[in-house]
Amino acid sequence: MNKENKSAIQEHGVNKANLSRKKSQGKTASNVTHFFLALTSALLMILAFPEFNAFYLAFFALVPLFIVLEMERSLIKVVIWVEVFVLVFYLYLLYWIETFHPLALPGVLLYLLLIYPIPFIFYRMVKRSHTKYSFANVILLSCILTLFENFRNFGFMKFPYGNIAYSQYEFLSFIQISDIIGPLGISFILYFFNACLASFILKVILLPKTYSFSKLKIIFNRMTLAFLVVIAVYIYGDNRLEFYQFQENNRNDLTQEEIEAKRIDVALIQPWFDYNKPWNKERKDELYDKLTEQTLKVSSDDLDLIVWPESAILDYYDYQIKSNFNQLSVAREFYDFFKAYGKQFSQVHFLVGSSDFEITNSSGKVSKSNEHARSAKDAKTKFFSEVKKYNSSLLINHEGEVVSKSGKRNLVAFAEYFPYKWVFDYVPILEKFLNEAHASNFSPYLRYETLAFPKGNFGSLICYDSVFPELSRVLVLKGAKFLVVITNDAWSYSVKSEVIHYSFSIFRAIENRRHVIRVGNAGVTSLILPSGKTKGGVLDVFVEDSMVSEFIPNDKNLTFYSLYGNIILYIIIFFFMINYFGLMGLLVLPWRFFRKVVSLFRKNKTVS
């Protein structure tokens, strides 16, 4: 081999090595860029939620992540960058969960890390790759992410925390349209705006060759459409805010007598009692003193309803008064207080959080047997028992008697119940572990009933119940003139957790245009108007306090959302089907399916 050939071969090898090195450097640079884009999305989403409440950032917080979704060729790396986003965002949003148990936060994060990449993987599988940055893909991505939010409301691990719509709880003009499209519709608009912006940036700025400026429609393009949607929603919301503000200030449709008959004066009691500390006689007296002192502080002849928070009475109050109490009862003092208070203010009712239970016999009917009832008391600390225990709200009259009751329907998995109790038979140490973590063994309350109150029935939501819009909607359809949320988020010692949970109640008020009375053990305590505004402000969190307010229930009309629920969900599914199959394909699909069924039927008939 001559020198010239050797030189050419060496030069080719050098060029190949340089090319390989450049590719490796390019991949490294790309990985670093995509990592920081995913991280940027997580940080922007953090700023959009409490405690920062920069809600406007949610309109473009996901743009960096969506750019990664389109530019990253490897599906595995897409999953990795989504996991980076989830880990950073939810680690900050939910760090307070570790107060419950050291394994609580890792468990929730693991669950989210497992499910969150699913919609992004699905999008990469079904999107139109030949029109990479098309408007069709914008619609497709928005639909898939919205559907994913809806699916997160199902199963034993229902967990809608972090849903993008709830970042807008302070942007009242924007979320007024929830009375038509609900929070899912708000999420869709936000995803759509983010996707439009990401696609626009990719086409016009980052990848100008794919979309020349000569073709750019200056007057109307996807960003123009996105802005028009947001502006239309804002105009609608601003109009609704003015309408309900006028309605709150002017009741010209009612006479003075009707106003007096309908007006409800309510006292909201926030005791701030630390349930994480050991329960003993001194602690029992402390809780009793806090509740009664704040109640007496706001006493008035005008009061119709006094609301105490979740778990205000840590006993089976209804059973205790019916069985003439027992020596260990903590309900006796509360019963005596209600009777003494009722002698002076006979028109008042108390709504209090308490424990309750039912014993069912073989036919499924509730047993009245005191023998069985006493066994429920014995089973209070046992995690697995046949007794159905409820986290309840009791409406108590001036005689101290329970006149109406309800229970918590949406229980927190592993904190209030264990979804797979049969596991205890094989892993008994797990029951001991959950008891040591102070986990409860409640049953979901399956009846959807309103509480019978002299000035109009109302719906009771206990803690996690207020997170799910469908429950509030059902109670309103069953005649609830207003809603009451009692809760205890104080176990977290986190202002953030209090505010995040409070944000859901604002949506429940707007969706159904009903007043929401919200009372927390340590906050957030307030009266929320049908517009989402608060009346009289809110009590400071983690402070022992109380407030008095009044309102006339807005019970004349049902909203579109109350009547039809998440109809926006079916519209989104329809959009998705058109997007994926095309309009003609969607029309032809049922015919093809029908022909296939007929063909199979004929074959089976021929064989027989």
Side-chain angles (χ1 to χ4, degrees), residues 27 127 151 176 206 349 364 392 418 502 602:
K27 286 182 180 179
K127 76 169 185 171
F151 294 147
Q176 293 300 308
L206 295 182
H349 283 68
S392 296
F418 190 74
Y502 167 69
R602 285 176 177 173

Side-chain angles (χ1 to χ4, degrees), residues 502-569:
Y502 167 69
S503 66
F504 292 100
S505 295
I506 293 176
F507 276 82
R508 302 299 86 87
I510 296 172
E511 291 156 8
N512 302 287
R513 298 300 181 187
R514 293 292 187 266
H515 291 80
V516 174
I517 301 168
R518 192 179 193 280
V519 177
N521 170 31
V524 175
T525 298
S526 68
L527 171 61
I528 305 172
L529 301 175
S531 63
K533 292 184 177 181
T534 58
K535 187 169 185 177
V538 300
L539 296 182
D540 292 336
V541 295
F542 293 99
V543 172
E544 183 181 345
D545 205 351
S546 57
M547 66 182 293
V548 175
S549 194
E550 51 85 18
F551 66 98
I552 297 174
N554 180 49
D555 58 357
K556 284 189 175 180
N557 300 308
L558 294 172
T559 66
F560 184 89
Y561 183 81
S562 296
L563 287 169
Y564 303 108
N566 283 323
I567 197 168
I568 186 69
L569 186 64

Side-chain angles (χ1 to χ4, degrees), residues 319-360:
Y319 162 70
Q320 291 292 342
I321 63 173
K322 289 175 180 176
S323 60
N324 202 25
F325 306 101
N326 62 42
Q327 292 180 348
L328 300 177
S329 170
V330 299
R332 180 84 203 201
E333 290 181 73
F334 287 105
Y335 175 76
D336 292 338
F337 173 78
F338 294 143
K339 290 202 69 173
Y341 193 91
K343 286 182 180 179
Q344 187 174 358
F345 307 105
S346 59
Q347 83 286 355
V348 77
H349 283 68
F350 284 83
L351 182 73
V352 304
S354 178
S355 297
D356 199 26
F357 67 86
E358 288 178 345
I359 310 296
T360 55

Side-chain angles (χ1 to χ4, degrees), residues 236-254:
Y236 172 85
D238 203 46
N239 181 270
R240 291 285 86 190
L241 273 177
E242 288 185 12
F243 171 79
Y244 283 103
Q245 187 64 46
F246 177 82
Q247 188 182 64
E248 189 70 28
N249 296 334
N250 303 275
R251 300 311 303 248
N252 299 328
D253 56 329
L254 299 175

